[in-house]
């Protein structure tokens, strides 16, 4: 299973290398393929199905909404938007929410509103190794040349600096700078966790120079790190936070949450989304937010600590590092071990996981995994790396 060429026989665009496996059903932390084989899901659709498959409360809310109305457009009142927005602002201390469909759209909105707010200022500082999406604005903000290659000219106005280096941000600030856009943990660059004081230092710099601080929580947010948003562990309040992935447990929903000084530029005609904040996705999101109690967040943090502790006990010459927060975990392998091969071997053993960065196994299990699930994963991983 090296290169998967299924698309050559299909009318589906060939921009993915797919495993020759189709999952046809799922319950809890288990997926089942077309041949009836069961798999332990330690990927959650890339941090999306955080409460597992067919969660009864989420499923019931979605079915109830499907029996009412699916779509009406944002030209009319949608009470579910108000309800979900109130829950998000209550959890962040920010004031307004814009709904869209995905993480890249959320970051596009953040870029637009930063420029609208900034007037003459337009430059946004981002980090090398960061990932903010694949549409042209968010792609231009992404500090990875391998993702940008072939799509020039990119949107101008982005300055890249090393991640986890607040002095580099200070040096990059000039009269055109309007904002800093960063992830609290770089999810697509190998689960890179910065120093504890990094976000606080960046927040102080933004306040000092009257810049907007935009935190991209598309992958890290909605409980994934054991905090509702990862930035909250640094005791800061950004100007904008973008979110998506886990918010609606598999249904398309994203958005940004912002403070008063940003929200004042969000007037009719400034930005929009046809499908953003649709009734069905919001019905799922409302339940997800209700499930993310303080007790559940503490449980997620504890599960992550348990997994990382057990993974570190497995460490041998093939494992370079284990890092992460909550249930966002990276296992960096030694250069001579190909991470994609490890992921394929795990898949053969009935465990689904992902990869990230140059050589890091990415673990994104659902929040409902049991101790038996965790121990089974460790046993399979130990078998393969030994």
């Amino acid at each position: 299973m090296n290169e998967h060429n299924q698309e050559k026989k299909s009318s589906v665009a060939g921009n993915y290398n797919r495993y020759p496996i189709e999952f046809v059903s799922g319950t809890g932390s288990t997926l089942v393929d077309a041949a009836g084989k069961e798999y332990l899901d330690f990927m959650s659709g890339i941090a999306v199905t955080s409460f597992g498959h067919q969660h009864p409360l989420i499923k019931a809310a979605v079915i109830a909404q499907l029996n009412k109305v699916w779509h009406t457009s944002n030209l009319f009142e949608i009470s579910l938007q108000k309800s979900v927005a109130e829950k998000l602002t209550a959890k962040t201390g920010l004031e307004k929410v814009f709904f869209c469909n995905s993480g890249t759209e959320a970051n596009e909105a953040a870029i637009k509103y930063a420029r609208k707010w900034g007037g003459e200022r337009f430059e946004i500082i981002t980090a090398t190794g960061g990932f903010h999406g694949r549409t042209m604005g968010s792609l231009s903000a992404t500090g990875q040349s391998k993702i940008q290659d072939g799509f020039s000219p990119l949107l101008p106005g982005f300055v890249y600096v090393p991640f986890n280096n607040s002095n580099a941000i200070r040096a990059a600030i000039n009269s055109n700078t309007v904002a800093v856009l960063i992830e609290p943990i770089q999810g697509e660059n190998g689960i890179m966790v910065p120093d504890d004081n990094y976000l606080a230092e960046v927040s102080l710099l933004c306040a000092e120079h009257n810049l907007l601080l935009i935190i991209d929580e598309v992958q890290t947010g909605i409980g994934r790190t054991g905090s509702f948003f990862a930035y909250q562990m640094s005791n800061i309040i950004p100007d904008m936070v973008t979110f998506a992935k886990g918010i609606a447990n598999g249904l398309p929903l994203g958005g940004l949450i912002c403070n008063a000084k940003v929200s004042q530029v969000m007037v009719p005609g400034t930005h929009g989304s046809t499908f953003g904040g649709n009734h069905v996705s919001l019905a799922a999101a409302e339940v997800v937010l209700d499930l993310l109690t303080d007790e559940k967040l503490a449980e997620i943090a504890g599960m992550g600590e348990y997994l990382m502790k057990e993974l570190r006990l497995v460490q041998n010459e093939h494992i370079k590092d284990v890092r992460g927060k909550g249930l966002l975990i990276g296992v960096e392998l030694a250069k001579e071990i190909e991470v994609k091969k490890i992921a394929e071997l795990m898949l053969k053993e009935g465990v689904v996981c992902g990869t990230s960065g140059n050589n890091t196994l990415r673990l994104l299990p659902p929040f409902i995994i049991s101790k038996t699930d965790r121990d089974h994963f460790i046993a399979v991983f130990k078998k393969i790396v030994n």
Side-chain angles (χ1 to χ4, degrees), residues 91-131:
K91 288 180 179 291
T92 58
L94 299 172
E95 295 191 323
K96 297 289 183 181
V97 182
F98 167 76
F99 290 108
C100 54
N101 307 285
S102 65
T104 193
E105 290 175 64
N107 286 324
E108 290 282 350
I111 292 165
K112 283 185 67 176
Y113 285 113
R115 288 192 170 183
K116 183 75 170 175
W117 176 83
E120 296 294 319
R121 296 186 291 163
F122 63 92
E123 283 188 354
I124 298 175
I125 298 170
T126 71
T128 52
F131 180 82

Side-chain angles (χ1 to χ4, degrees), residues 314-382:
V314 178
Q315 277 198 353
N316 57 24
E317 68 274 15
H318 303 311
I319 301 173
K320 186 176 178 180
D321 192 22
V322 176
R323 55 182 175 261
K325 293 279 186 183
L327 293 177
L328 173 63
I329 300 170
V331 182
E332 186 177 355
L333 303 175
K335 288 183 179 180
E336 64 272 15
I337 306 296
E338 185 183 352
V339 70
K340 289 184 179 179
K341 184 64 177 176
I342 297 296
E344 288 175 357
L345 291 171
M346 296 286 289
L347 197 60
K348 285 182 180 179
E349 294 288 334
V351 177
V352 182
C353 49
T355 63
S356 176
N358 292 326
N359 213 34
T360 301
L361 195 70
R362 175 166 45 172
L363 311 178
L364 300 162
F367 303 160
I368 46 85
I369 53 168
S370 64
K371 186 175 184 299
T372 300
D373 291 333
R374 300 194 294 270
D375 291 342
H376 176 65
F377 169 82
I378 293 295
V380 173
F381 180 74
K382 187 183 295 185

